[in-house]
Amino acid sequence: MSSTTNTTTIGTIGAPSRRNTELAMLVFAVLIPVFAYINVGLAKDHSVPAGVLGYALGLGLLAGVAHLVVRKWAPYADPLMLPIATLLNGMGLVFIWRLDQEPTLGSAMAPNQLMWSTFGVALFLALLIFLKDHRVLQRYTYISMVVALVLLIAPMFFPGVNGAKIWITIPGLGSLQPGEFAKIIIAVFFAGYLMVKRDALALASRRFMGLYLPRGRDLGPILVIWALSLMILVFETDLGTSLLFFGLFVVMLYVATERTSWIVFGLLLSAGGAVAVATFESHVQTRVHNWLNPLELQDGGVTETAQAMYSFGSGGILGSGLGQGYSRLIRGIAPKSDYILATVGEEIGLAGLMGVLLLYALLIQRGIRTALAARDPFGKLLAVGLSGAFALQVFVVAGGVTGLIPLTGMTMPFLAQGGSSVIANWALVGILLRISDTARRPAPAPAPSTDAEMTQVVRP
């Protein structure tokens, strides 16, 4: 008789697949947005929306197909990531559709967002079916670097939108934000690079005032990344991508080397670079000025940051109710993209906003847990990188909307309007699920030893 006692969260050998748990959670992840959709319709028109059946069937079909593919091709994957992503995506569609009902906010965007969400789920399924082992990505470390740089540099050659050059235009398809895909590809490069260089970065250093200072030759990578992030900020005036790009590298560097000095260097370089660029770049100056003076009058009204604050204040603890807020007063397309979190805060209140942020936190926690459970160093670093990129994006968007930091122009993952964003984030969740499936999969039984058969104890 044998027994196995699991005393750590890292050892998941023999863990159950939890697919039925995932299915049960998916039912709630589909029903909650459908009830929210009906609620908005009752609030706006006093009737159940005509498209509720199609919305319910569409969201349910996407979730069902995704679950079946995970059950067949990644049976030991984390059971919570897919339901959380489905719930966030479904609630994002509801909020965008709710804002579509306001004629002052331009044309309807919910149908396009549903189409891009479908493409995102399709990419998610393709990754699970064709990417059998995440370690294959390690072979393409330097190719990933080249592809990521091309994606980051490409927007320089296209006209800017609202002062930032973060879009490329493809005839017949529309606009694409390549930075959303670059964050995944560059995480692959960092994971592969740090796999090779982490010993040199961790061990070859000198101690000074309690900090381990890296050698000059080892400072090269972080200086190059710092310079590239500044170039993005200067030439594309994209504060969000710059912060995400540099922050991701520092986080992965810290995890790989366990040296606090890298965090200190990263913060100093980041602050120094941001201050230097803000002294001459007008777009960044405007962002910072609006952040420091949100109540200043502009064009006959207050800034968007102040309007978002009014929305949060109007919502209070429990909110005004779905479909009954006034966040439409925020100018332009912002309520559906950058400032959609203001609509969340106004209509479902602080309680609902905290619930949405907890969903993001739970998704990030499952990614970090996947990194802890991964059995190979590349998988650990890649899971940390992807989770870190997701966490940084949530922080800079939520921080910008709430006035904690200057607004960056990035989109809230899954929630805000944006085809590139929703497709890239479904791909990110797909890779994390693939790593978690490998990490939770039962280890193969050890091969029988021939020595055991040949060595026998013979008692007299």
Side-chain angles (χ1 to χ4, degrees):
M1 178 179 174
S2 64
S3 62
T4 302
T5 303
N6 189 2
T7 58
T8 172
T9 57
I10 299 175
T12 54
I13 296 174
S17 67
R18 303 289 188 189
R19 296 279 64 84
N20 291 333
T21 303
E22 179 185 83
L23 180 60
M25 299 295 289
L26 273 175
V27 172
F28 287 102
V30 172
L31 287 179
I32 292 172
V34 170
F35 283 128
Y37 186 80
I38 295 173
N39 196 336
V40 172
L42 292 173
K44 300 298 292 183
D45 301 323
H46 306 289
S47 63
V48 176
V52 66
L53 187 59
Y55 174 74
L57 289 177
L59 190 60
L61 184 64
L62 288 177
V65 171
H67 169 73
L68 291 176
V69 169
V70 172
R71 183 177 282 270
K72 179 172 177 56
W73 275 279
Y76 293 95
D78 186 282
L80 293 184
M81 289 187 192
L82 178 59
I84 294 172
T86 303
L87 179 55
L88 287 172
N89 200 170
M91 288 305 296
L93 287 167
V94 170
F95 277 108
I96 294 169
W97 179 78
R98 172 262 172 279
L99 292 167
D100 283 346
Q101 309 310 305
E102 307 291 345
T104 58
L105 296 181
S107 58
M109 293 184 174
N112 284 340
Q113 185 71 3
L114 181 59
M115 179 187 69
W116 293 122
S117 299
T118 306
F119 287 153
V121 173
L123 181 57
F124 166 86
L125 301 180
L127 280 169
L128 288 180
I129 293 172
F130 296 108
L131 183 64
K132 304 293 184 186
D133 189 339
H134 63 273
R135 288 168 293 187
V136 172
L137 298 174
Q138 191 178 351
R139 301 175 189 171
Y140 307 103
T141 296
Y142 291 98
I143 294 177
S144 301
M145 180 190 68
V146 174
V147 173
L149 288 177
V150 169
L151 289 174
L152 289 172
I153 293 171
M156 290 183 189
F157 305 101
F158 290 84
V161 177
N162 295 327
K165 293 184 175 182
I166 57 177
W167 300 91
I168 62 174
T169 304
I170 302 176
L173 290 179
S175 299
L176 183 71
Q177 192 173 355
E180 289 285 349
F181 300 96
K183 70 183 180 187
I184 299 175
I185 299 172
I186 210 159
V188 173
F189 162 65
F190 285 160
Y193 176 81
L194 292 174
M195 263 284 296
V196 178
K197 300 291 185 182
R198 62 176 179 168
D199 288 341
L201 292 167
L203 301 177
S205 57
R206 298 175 182 173
R207 188 178 176 85
F208 178 73
M209 296 181 65
L211 294 176
Y212 287 94
L213 301 180
R215 297 180 306 183
R217 73 184 72 169
D218 298 326
L219 275 174
I222 196 169
L223 290 176
V224 170
I225 298 300
W226 177 67
L228 285 174
S229 65
L230 284 184
M231 286 176 61
I232 295 170
L233 185 57
V234 171
F235 293 107
E236 301 180 4
T237 58
D238 183 6
L239 182 61
T241 302
S242 179
L243 284 173
L244 178 65
F245 188 34
F246 187 71
L248 175 62
F249 182 68
V250 173
V251 167
M252 294 184 70
L253 200 55
Y254 171 70
V255 172
T257 62
E258 299 180 1
R259 295 294 192 199
T260 310
S261 54
W262 286 109
I263 296 288
V264 175
F265 274 110
L267 291 175
L268 290 176
L269 288 174
S270 181
V275 171
V277 173
T279 57
F280 64 88
E281 179 52 55
S282 60
H283 182 72
V284 177
Q285 287 174 350
T286 303
R287 295 277 193 186
V288 174
H289 182 80
N290 290 342
W291 172 56
L292 295 175
N293 305 280
L295 299 179
E296 187 178 75
L297 294 179
Q298 291 182 354
D299 301 327
V302 294
T303 62
E304 294 175 349
T305 304
Q307 291 169 338
M309 291 180 180
Y310 294 155
S311 297
F312 287 125
S314 174
I317 300 296
L318 298 178
S320 60
L322 282 169
Q324 301 181 60
Y326 293 92
S327 61
R328 63 177 181 272
L329 298 176
I330 300 175
R331 289 190 292 266
I333 195 179
K336 298 180 184 178
S337 56
D338 302 4
Y339 283 106
I340 196 167
L341 212 56
T343 304
V344 175
E346 181 177 8
E347 301 200 348
I348 59 177
L350 179 63
L353 180 64
M354 289 298 105
V356 170
L357 293 179
L358 279 176
L359 286 176
Y360 283 115
L362 187 56
L363 190 56
I364 294 163
Q365 185 267 344
R366 302 307 294 188
I368 299 297
R369 185 184 173 91
T370 295
L372 290 172
R375 300 167 190 167
D376 63 293
F378 176 76
K380 286 181 183 294
L381 285 172
L382 183 56
V384 165
L386 296 175
S387 305
F390 195 86
L392 284 169
Q393 187 165 351
V394 170
F395 171 74
V396 296
V397 178
V401 175
T402 56
L404 180 64
I405 60 174
L407 191 69
T408 59
M410 300 186 76
T411 55
M412 203 67 178
F414 292 117
L415 206 62
Q417 188 276 331
S420 309
S421 175
V422 73
I423 292 175
N425 284 304
W426 271 112
L428 185 150
V429 172
I431 297 174
L432 279 177
L433 276 183
R434 170 53 64 208
I435 299 173
S436 72
D437 175 60
T438 305
R440 291 166 51 88
R441 189 177 292 274
S449 172
T450 54
D451 292 340
E453 296 179 356
M454 296 175 62
T455 303
Q456 296 182 358
V457 177
V458 178
R459 297 180 182 277

